[in-house]
């Protein structure tokens, strides 16, 4: 995975201009930042941005993707470069697996079970022991993706109920709500999930995989990348639920980090900056990789997961979805 460049996070409304081989960020406050294009891997815009064709041309030349998050932190789209690492051979192999009901269902089942494992490990191993056994039994009997999704949904509802028991009243989810989130806890989860979706998209674009060919989510998704939805499921617990519990336990999340109204909430400007910085720090956290025998950043785990799936499609290597081992 490229290590010489980094992700830039835009947490305030701004205009992006080109000056020679650099990007110039003009903020509404009047501040101006110059960024050498060779220092940029990709950009995540958490607030509105204004760009022109000169910027688009420069980003495309250097294969830099721009990801956009909406008002509530949900993923709204990307400006993706025309040149990708996708190969026809890999896409055909990926498509053959997707069109094979048995092989595709096997991968979908493994993703559901690995996701449930990660949720249980993060939220509460004891209280989620019974729901985890249930989802394993249901997944083993499932003969369709719809049945798998139903089993996953039942487990998730149990997990959110247990999660609420470990959160202060004002951060409890009371059930998962989106677009808009109904309260502060849901607003936090949605925002972090949007960031992880964007990071997984960048990771997959570094591999020969096609983002539109998925195993768990429908390949008929028109506004989102189906394969990104698949792999993002595995990592959401590592970031969203885990960080929510940590920040709540340390009393670092405060009501002023959110703007709440009747039946809807969103992160305030201060909250967005705090959450983005927290996720950025977490993406840079390293763990000793058991297979590679070296430290890897959480951000690299996303790429390694996509690469593992690509090798399964192209070379037939067994695919075992990511499970938290530490």
């Amino acid at each position: 995975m490229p290590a010489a460049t980094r992700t830039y996070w835009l947490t305030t409304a701004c205009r992006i201009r080109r000056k020679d081989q650099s990007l110039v960020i003009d903020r509404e406050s009047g501040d101006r930042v110059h960024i050498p294009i060779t220092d940029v891997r990709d950009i995540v815009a958490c607030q509105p941005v204004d760009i022109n064709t000169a910027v688009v041309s420069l980003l495309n030349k250097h294969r830099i993707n721009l990801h956009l998050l909406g008002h509530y932190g949900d993923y709204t789209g990307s400006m993706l470069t025309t040149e990708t690492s996708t190969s026809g051979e890999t896409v055909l192999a990926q498509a053959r697996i997707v069109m094979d009901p048995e092989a595709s269902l096997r991968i979908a089942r493994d993703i559901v079970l690995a996701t449930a494992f990660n949720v249980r490990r993060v939220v509460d191993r004891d209280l989620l022991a019974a729901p985890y056994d249930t989802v394993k039994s249901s997944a083993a009997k499932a003969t369709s993706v719809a049945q798998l999704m139903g089993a996953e949904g039942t487990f998730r509802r149990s997990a959110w109920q247990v999660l609420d028991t470990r959160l202060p009243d004002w951060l409890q989810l009371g059930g998962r709500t989106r677009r808009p989130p109904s309260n502060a806890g849901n607003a936090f989860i949605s925002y972090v999930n949007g960031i992880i979706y964007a990071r997984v998209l960048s990771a997959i674009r570094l591999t020969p995989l096609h983002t539109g060919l998925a195993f768990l989510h429908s390949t008929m998704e028109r506004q989102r990348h189906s394969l990104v939805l698949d792999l993002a499921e595995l990592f959401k617990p590592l970031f969203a639920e885990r960080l929510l519990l940590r920040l709540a336990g340390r009393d670092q999340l405060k009501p002023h980090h959110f703007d709440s109204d009747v039946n809807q909430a969103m992160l305030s400007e201060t909250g967005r900056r705090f959450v983005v910085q927290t996720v950025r720090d977490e993406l840079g956290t390293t763990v000793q990789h058991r297979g590679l025998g070296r430290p890897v950043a959480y951000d690299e785990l996303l790429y390694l997961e996509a690469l593992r799936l690509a090798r399964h499609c192209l070379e037939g290597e067994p695919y075992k979805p990511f499970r938290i081992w530490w």
Side-chain angles (χ1 to χ4, degrees):
M1 183 176 184
T5 55
R6 60 193 179 102
T7 298
Y8 277 83
W9 307 77
L10 306 180
T11 56
T12 59
C14 62
R15 180 187 181 195
I16 306 177
R17 296 186 295 106
R18 174 179 179 175
K19 184 176 182 181
D20 299 325
Q21 295 300 304
S22 296
L23 297 177
V24 179
I25 311 296
D26 291 323
R27 298 178 177 143
E28 287 186 335
S29 62
D31 295 338
R32 179 172 296 172
V33 179
H34 292 257
I35 304 172
I37 196 64
T38 53
D39 190 42
V40 184
R41 181 172 65 198
D42 57 3
I43 301 171
V44 179
C46 306
Q47 286 287 285
V49 296
D50 180 18
I51 63 175
N52 56 33
T53 55
V55 174
V56 172
S57 175
L58 186 63
L59 294 179
N60 190 58
K61 177 181 178 181
H62 290 270
R63 298 185 62 189
I64 297 171
N65 300 318
L66 171 62
H67 304 295
L68 307 172
L69 301 185
H71 192 60
Y72 297 102
D74 52 307
Y75 173 83
T76 58
S78 297
M79 192 196 75
L80 302 175
T81 60
T82 54
E83 184 182 358
T84 72
S85 300
T86 303
S87 75
E89 184 181 6
T90 304
V91 171
L92 289 174
Q94 183 182 353
R96 281 192 290 269
I97 296 176
V98 170
M99 292 186 293
D100 182 333
E102 183 178 344
S104 181
L105 186 64
R106 187 184 307 116
I107 294 177
R109 181 183 292 114
D110 289 344
I111 291 175
V112 166
L113 292 177
T115 299
F117 176 92
N118 292 339
V119 170
R120 180 192 174 199
R121 194 171 185 88
V122 165
V123 176
D124 194 300
R125 301 187 194 186
D126 295 330
L127 293 180
L128 286 178
Y132 181 63
D133 287 340
T134 299
V135 75
K136 286 196 297 183
S137 175
S138 299
K141 299 174 183 176
T143 58
S144 68
V145 169
Q147 292 176 0
L148 280 176
M149 296 286 273
E152 181 191 36
T154 299
F155 174 80
R156 281 285 195 174
R157 284 189 288 274
S158 298
W160 292 325
Q161 290 174 356
V162 172
L163 180 65
D164 279 350
T165 66
R166 300 184 57 190
L167 296 171
D169 291 345
W170 71 277
L171 271 178
Q172 291 178 6
L173 275 66
R176 188 75 176 94
T177 56
R178 310 168 178 83
R179 300 176 186 174
S182 61
N183 50 43
N186 274 289
F188 181 92
I189 294 288
S190 290
Y191 206 89
V192 176
N193 283 349
I195 293 175
I196 298 309
Y197 179 94
R199 300 304 309 129
V200 172
L201 175 55
S202 283
I204 294 177
R205 294 270 294 181
L206 293 173
T207 74
L209 294 170
H210 192 289
T211 60
L213 297 174
F215 308 94
L216 179 62
H217 292 84
S218 172
T219 56
M220 298 301 290
E221 288 276 356
R222 299 189 60 173
Q223 295 180 326
R224 294 184 293 176
H225 302 266
S226 303
L227 186 61
V228 179
L229 294 174
D230 279 8
L231 298 191
E233 289 292 329
L234 300 166
F235 293 96
K236 288 176 181 178
L238 178 63
F239 294 94
E241 286 90 344
R242 186 163 167 264
L243 287 178
L244 179 59
L245 285 171
R246 179 196 298 172
L247 296 177
R250 296 177 179 176
D251 199 29
Q252 291 177 289
L253 270 180
K254 304 291 184 181
H256 75 263
H257 287 131
F258 301 87
D259 292 330
S260 300
D261 204 342
V262 179
N263 294 324
Q264 66 178 35
M266 61 178 290
L267 286 166
S268 64
E269 183 174 345
T270 301
R272 282 193 299 271
R273 291 179 180 176
F274 174 65
V275 171
V276 167
Q277 184 60 56
T278 301
V279 176
R280 286 177 62 182
D281 293 343
E282 199 68 8
L283 285 165
T285 301
T286 59
V287 62
Q288 186 71 16
H289 196 282
R290 295 182 298 182
L292 298 178
R294 63 173 175 84
V296 298
Y298 287 2
D299 198 22
E300 188 177 357
L301 290 175
L302 312 182
Y303 169 70
L304 292 174
E305 187 67 20
L307 197 61
R308 188 180 302 116
L309 182 57
R311 286 172 176 163
H312 171 72
C313 294
L314 192 57
E315 302 172 10
E317 288 189 12
Y319 173 61
K320 297 181 179 180
F322 166 75
R323 295 190 179 208
I324 301 171
W325 66 81
W326 62 94

